[in-house]
Amino acid sequence: MRTLITALILIAINMAINAKPQCQGFNNYDDKVTIVFTDDNAGEQYTVSDVKLIPTWRGQEYQATSVKATVKNGVATVTLIFPHITQFSNPKVTLRINGKKTSFKVCQ
């Protein structure tokens, strides 16, 4: 029984470590950039910090002006707001989720 519990805990930790944000939406309207992503392995705690948008054509980083996260049934939905930017080329977002650094390509 103890082995089974240990195995289940290790599986849960592995799933949390391998969790990856999935871009759901992107727009550049109303003088701001809005990006929405989900994470299917959110668990109960989901803290997002150090959020930056990198439009790779210039290499410049833009700090998020707003970060809103909600978790429902283990799925996190996060809305990120950045200043208005007029040009993009395969942008990506870097951030920390529960303290762990990760990144994802922005869907366009």
Side-chain angles (χ1 to χ4, degrees):
M1 184 68 166
R2 178 178 268 169
T3 305
L4 176 62
I5 292 171
T6 302
L8 290 174
I9 290 172
L10 290 174
I11 289 169
I13 290 171
N14 189 39
M15 287 175 60
I17 290 172
N18 293 324
K20 200 73 165 149
Q22 299 294 315
C23 184
Q24 298 299 314
F26 164 84
N27 75 57
N28 198 13
Y29 305 125
D30 301 325
D31 292 328
K32 62 185 176 186
V33 173
T34 304
I35 299 169
V36 177
F37 74 86
T38 59
D39 190 336
D40 294 338
N41 295 312
E44 293 182 23
Q45 179 183 345
Y46 202 83
T47 306
V48 179
S49 61
D50 299 328
V51 183
K52 294 182 179 121
L53 174 64
I54 305 168
T56 55
W57 64 274
R58 286 174 56 188
Q60 186 173 356
E61 296 180 353
Y62 295 88
Q63 191 76 27
T65 57
S66 174
V67 177
K68 293 181 183 174
T70 59
V71 178
K72 185 175 181 179
N73 298 326
V75 178
T77 301
V78 181
T79 302
L80 309 172
I81 307 290
F82 297 91
H84 181 73
I85 304 168
T86 57
Q87 294 182 333
F88 292 92
S89 176
N90 299 316
K92 72 176 183 175
V93 171
T94 63
L95 66 160
R96 290 188 179 276
I97 298 173
N98 296 333
K100 183 177 179 185
K101 191 170 185 174
T102 190
S103 66
F104 65 93
K105 288 196 180 252
V106 175
C107 50
Q108 292 184 351

